[in-house]
Amino acid sequence: EIERILVVKLREALKLRAAGIGLEIVNMNPLFTRSSYKTVAEKVITHLVYTEDAARKLSEVASSKGVKAHDFVKIDTGLRRVGVKSDEAANFLETVSGLPGLEIDGIFSTLNQNDEQDKTQLKRFLEVEEEARKRGIELGMRSLASSNAIIYKPETHLDAVRSGCSFTGYIQLP
């Protein structure tokens, strides 16, 4: 059952809301203006955070509006695109969980699609989760598997999978 939709751009999330889509929407696009943060909070769009600056801005806007803003935390477990580094992630999660007006809906990372690296990334991800839970941090949903891992790495399925590329017919074979 689909419970959430992941979008790459805020404008996609806004089009879905305008069309009456009531599912939870997670926006991966960085926000640059206060009005964008305000829109995310008002439209109940879950926002991707991996910097303290973004988390604080979202917290400030939500608190000033008297609403709860939702966020997903992106953890860099080794792909080295974006995300809070895994060895800093528990501290970051503790900071974010303590900000007023914010609620962590989940954590996620992206795999390399290399068997050995992916094993290491899964281990790092689970270590972050374990440390955060020891600190009493409620993490929500965990997601690690995208299209390739949905098919080839069932141990990475956790709570949710992200099947974006498989919708276009592209999957990298091992």
Side-chain angles (χ1 to χ4, degrees):
E1 177 179 326
I2 296 172
E3 296 176 4
R4 284 184 172 87
I5 299 171
L6 182 71
V7 298
V8 177
K9 299 288 183 183
L10 179 56
R11 69 177 177 266
E12 296 168 331
L14 296 176
K15 285 181 181 181
L16 290 170
R17 282 289 182 254
I21 303 296
L23 293 172
E24 294 179 41
I25 300 172
V26 180
N27 171 54
M28 293 183 62
N29 196 40
L31 303 177
F32 299 104
T33 64
R34 184 170 174 82
S35 66
S36 293
Y37 283 95
K38 180 181 168 190
T39 298
V40 163
E42 288 175 347
K43 300 286 186 185
V44 193
I45 297 168
T46 301
H47 183 61
L48 173 73
V49 297
Y50 52 89
T51 68
E52 193 171 325
D53 182 57
R56 289 194 184 283
K57 285 178 181 173
L58 191 55
S59 168
E60 289 168 13
V61 167
S63 295
S64 73
K65 290 291 191 189
V67 298
K68 194 65 108 166
H70 300 264
D71 62 88
F72 250 75
V73 175
K74 173 73 166 64
I75 300 168
D76 179 1
T77 55
L79 186 59
R80 293 184 177 84
R81 281 189 196 157
V82 297
V84 60
K85 290 184 169 97
S86 59
D87 60 348
E88 301 168 6
N91 289 337
F92 181 77
L93 287 161
E94 190 167 34
T95 297
V96 172
S97 69
L99 292 173
L102 279 189
E103 184 173 321
I104 298 173
D105 284 357
I107 59 174
F108 80 102
S109 189
T110 305
L111 299 171
N112 279 308
Q113 297 183 7
N114 170 287
D115 287 342
E116 288 308 309
Q117 290 174 332
D118 290 352
K119 287 176 189 173
T120 299
Q121 287 183 264
L122 174 60
K123 181 178 180 283
R124 287 177 184 155
F125 190 82
L126 295 175
E127 287 171 351
V128 168
E129 176 194 15
E130 181 181 354
E131 179 59 29
R133 293 200 191 279
K134 282 181 187 175
R135 297 180 189 196
I137 302 166
E138 190 60 42
L139 297 176
M141 184 174 285
R142 305 162 305 147
S143 178
L144 192 55
S146 54
S147 294
N148 180 275
I150 290 170
I151 296 169
Y152 300 111
K153 297 180 174 121
E155 69 277 12
T156 67
H157 290 184
L158 307 176
D159 300 321
V161 297
R162 303 181 315 273
S163 56
C165 284
S166 65
F167 286 123
T168 64
Y170 174 79
I171 297 177
Q172 183 175 339
L173 299 174

